[in-house]
């Protein structure tokens, strides 16, 4: 879908900006928002491009930098931290051979942290794309990554 088609679908009002940004990003293979798309959006919606960029920068769900096909968000809020989030982070970094904030060489995964995902009862927790994985151990975490790689 083009930027103008997405705007038409949601409506040209400013309160629809987040939904529009979300759909634009979801349509990009690199899970990010592209500069030319933001400029087009600014023109069509008659909003200064600086406002759109600051909105996109404010929310962690958006990225202005290219990311992997799958976004891993590991919860780092206190309940998950206490339950061993740091060990899960190390397992992810070792398994993916990247550090926090980086994208794998094959552009398959980007590793990020997030605040509470609302699943503290099953801490430690990570979300990959739209799926939440709880009660993580190092072994379970690696198995989740492997199962995603196997499906590709
Ligand atoms: S603190 Fe991690 S899900 Fe709530």
């Amino acid at each position: 879908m083009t930027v103008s088609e997405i705007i038409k679908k949601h409506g040209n009002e400013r309160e629809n900006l987040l939904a529009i940004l979300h759909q634009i990003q979801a349509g990009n293979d690199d899970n990010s928002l592209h500069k030319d798309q933001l400029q087009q959006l600014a023109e069509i919606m008659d909003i200064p491009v600086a406002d759109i960029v600051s909105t996109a920068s404010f929310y962690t769900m958006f990225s202005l930098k290219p990311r992997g096909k799958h976004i891993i968000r590991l919860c780092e809020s206190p309940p998950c931290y206490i339950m061993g989030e740091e060990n899960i982070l190390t397992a992810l970094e070792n398994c993916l051979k990247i550090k926090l904030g980086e994208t794998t060489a094959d552009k398959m995964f980007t590793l990020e942290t997030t605040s509470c995902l609302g699943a503290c009862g099953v801490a430690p927790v990570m979300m990959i794309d739209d799926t939440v994985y709880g009660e993580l151990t190092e072994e379970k975490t690696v198995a989740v990554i492997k199962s995603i790689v196997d499906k590709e």
Side-chain angles (χ1 to χ4, degrees), residues 61-82:
M61 63 193 166
F62 299 125
S63 178
L64 301 175
K65 286 192 316 194
R67 295 186 292 181
K69 182 174 179 188
H70 302 287
I71 310 295
I72 303 168
R73 294 183 177 92
L74 177 65
C75 175
E76 60 175 358
S77 289
C80 283
Y81 177 78
I82 287 163

Side-chain angles (χ1 to χ4, degrees), residues 34-100:
H34 304 165
K35 205 172 165 189
D36 60 318
Q37 293 173 320
L38 299 183
Q39 274 162 347
Q40 222 183 324
L41 189 55
E43 268 168 43
I44 300 172
M45 294 187 77
D46 198 22
I47 298 173
V49 74
D51 285 11
I52 293 180
V53 170
S54 74
T55 300
S57 311
F58 179 77
Y59 292 97
T60 56
M61 63 193 166
F62 299 125
S63 178
L64 301 175
K65 286 192 316 194
R67 295 186 292 181
K69 182 174 179 188
H70 302 287
I71 310 295
I72 303 168
R73 294 183 177 92
L74 177 65
C75 175
E76 60 175 358
S77 289
C80 283
Y81 177 78
I82 287 163
M83 294 302 284
E85 171 264 339
E86 280 184 317
N87 296 337
I88 304 305
L89 178 59
T90 303
L92 284 166
E93 288 180 333
N94 290 340
C95 166
L96 298 167
K97 299 183 176 50
I98 55 172
K99 292 287 176 198
L100 183 60

Side-chain angles (χ1 to χ4, degrees), residues 74-81 114-126:
L74 177 65
C75 175
E76 60 175 358
S77 289
C80 283
Y81 177 78
T114 182
S115 50
C116 182
L117 290 164
C120 323
V122 290
V125 173
M126 69 176 170

